[in-house]
Amino acid sequence: MSAHEEAAIRGQIEKVIDGLRAKDLDILREPYASDVVSFDVEPPLQHVGIEAKLASWARVFQVFETVDYELRDLTLSIGGDVAFGYAFGRLSGTMRNGVAAAGMWVRVTYGLRKIDGSWRIAHDQVSVPFDIVSGTGVVDLEP
């Protein structure tokens, strides 16, 4: 894995964080592939295409006045024109009603493809662990 390729991928993921903090869908559009498939925490089971992905982020912006996103322990594996990574992420901020939301830590997985010389997020998945007995999500864990 070359340091240059890893830096390029980390830069694309940083653009996602920058776009969230700025609440800017144009910034968020750039790091994703046009045919991105996203397995997000909210229904439906999958969001297909960049417009669906951006609509998901737009819903976040409707709820939050300010947005922050923290990513921890990003680990990448790169081979040729494909790469994957995983990390822990937390979306937080101030909701439109003024209430501060600390957010919850989730597991994030990225699948990337090199398209026309640039790394693009082709797949992402966000998940929370669940208690197998109750079937409910466990949202108070920390990395």
Side-chain angles (χ1 to χ4, degrees):
M1 168 171 47
S2 83
H4 173 73
E5 298 294 348
E6 181 172 349
I9 291 170
R10 287 181 182 275
Q12 290 295 66
I13 294 170
E14 279 295 320
K15 285 180 189 172
V16 172
I17 295 169
D18 293 344
L20 291 172
R21 289 177 177 162
K23 294 173 55 176
D24 188 322
L25 294 175
D26 290 330
I27 294 172
L28 285 166
R29 178 181 298 276
E30 200 276 327
Y32 290 100
S34 62
D35 60 349
V36 61
V37 175
S38 180
F39 294 174
D40 213 333
V41 291
E42 68 175 2
L45 288 174
Q46 67 178 359
H47 303 266
V48 179
I50 187 63
E51 297 309 322
K53 183 64 185 177
L54 294 177
S56 181
W57 286 131
R59 285 188 294 281
V60 169
F61 299 159
Q62 291 170 355
V63 175
F64 284 90
E65 183 67 33
T66 63
V67 177
D68 194 13
Y69 193 83
E70 182 180 356
L71 196 68
R72 285 193 190 169
D73 303 332
L74 176 61
T75 301
L76 298 170
S77 293
I78 304 168
D81 290 343
V82 295
F84 76 92
Y86 54 88
F88 301 108
R90 178 172 60 178
L91 181 78
S92 61
T94 304
M95 300 178 81
R96 293 224 178 253
N97 64 7
V99 174
M104 64 181 173
W105 286 101
V106 296
R107 303 172 292 195
V108 183
T109 303
Y110 299 101
L112 299 102
R113 292 191 332 252
K114 199 170 201 180
I115 301 170
D116 297 329
S118 295
W119 287 101
R120 300 282 184 236
I121 301 168
H123 175 70
D124 65 6
Q125 178 167 341
V126 179
S127 65
V128 296
F130 77 98
D131 177 76
I132 199 163
V133 174
S134 68
T136 59
V138 181
V139 296
D140 60 350
L141 301 175
E142 298 209 16

